[in-house]
Amino acid sequence: MMMMSTLLSAALLLLLPGTLTLESKPTPITVVVENSLLGNPPVTYSSHVVYRGILLGAMKSLMDSNANFKFTYTENLNYGPYLESVNGVAGSDEDHTYWELLVKKPDGKVIRPDVGIGCYIPSENEQIILRFSKW
Ligand code: B12
């Protein structure tokens, strides 16, 4: 009986990699700030997220470790954190500007996530693009 349950636990551990095993390696990502609306050249930063961590966490740790990167966000009741400003430039309802969240995959394809910085979970070697855009 004891042997059976030991075998069962071992099988479960094998079946659920990433769920029951500890992943401690940080996931490397880059963050690119693009502001062609104001004519600024893109600036690239290296960062990392913890295993299955959210983008907001990676942005906060980048801000803590790099004095040249800063951002602010507001809290939306329904959708969570809304990226309000990056490096001192804020989106404005009046001017119809906002910080768009885009992601360049390692294969070069650029996607526009259907969630914000508080829900997006970056994968290894993704380039997170924060692009000042018009709507
Ligand atoms: C219009 C709109 C926008 C406009 C808002 C302009 C404005 N100030 O009016 C702009 C273009 C700025 C926008 C941006 C984004 N949006 Co939008 N947007 C909408 C849309 C079509 C309508 C919202 C609305 O006017 N509601 C009516 C008003 C009366 O209610 P409200 O609560 O005051 O609306 C506010 C919030 O919705 C907020 N808002 C809009 N988008 C987002 C996204 C996030 C993550 C947050 C926290 C807040 C937020 O702006 C509205 C005005 O203040 C909805 C879809 C829908 N049909 O509801 C998507 C929607 C809310 N957006 C969405 C997304 C994903 C984004 C982006 C993250 C897209 C991207 N990849 O860049 C960005 C936000 C990036 C950032 N800076 O954090 C998703 C959110 C899903 C989720 N669970 O996270 C939705 C549901 C659409 C979808 N893809 O399914 N958006």
Side-chain angles (χ1 to χ4, degrees), residues 18-57:
T19 316
L20 293 179
T21 49
L22 178 66
E23 291 279 347
S24 55
K25 213 169 58 134
T27 307
I29 57 164
T30 56
V31 175
V32 183
V33 175
E34 294 186 0
N35 192 343
S36 55
L37 285 183
L38 294 188
N40 299 342
V43 189
T44 305
Y45 307 87
S46 295
S47 186
H48 59 266
V49 312
V50 299
Y51 177 70
R52 297 283 294 157
I54 56 172
L55 175 59
L56 179 62

Side-chain angles (χ1 to χ4, degrees), residues 56-120:
L56 179 62
M59 289 170 63
K60 281 182 175 169
S61 69
L62 177 59
M63 179 157 66
D64 285 347
S65 63
N66 189 326
N68 296 317
F69 178 79
K70 53 184 195 290
F71 72 98
T72 60
Y73 64 93
T74 55
E75 197 72 35
N76 178 279
L77 174 69
N78 299 302
Y79 301 119
Y82 180 82
L83 183 60
E84 178 185 54
S85 80
V86 178
N87 293 342
V89 178
S92 135
D93 279 359
E94 204 179 302
D95 300 340
H96 286 207
T97 52
Y98 76 110
W99 283 96
E100 187 177 16
L101 171 61
L102 301 167
V103 177
K104 190 175 193 175
K105 299 281 180 183
D107 68 3
K109 227 173 114 186
V110 176
I111 60 148
R112 186 175 189 268
D114 65 357
V115 292
I117 54 171
C119 292
Y120 188 71

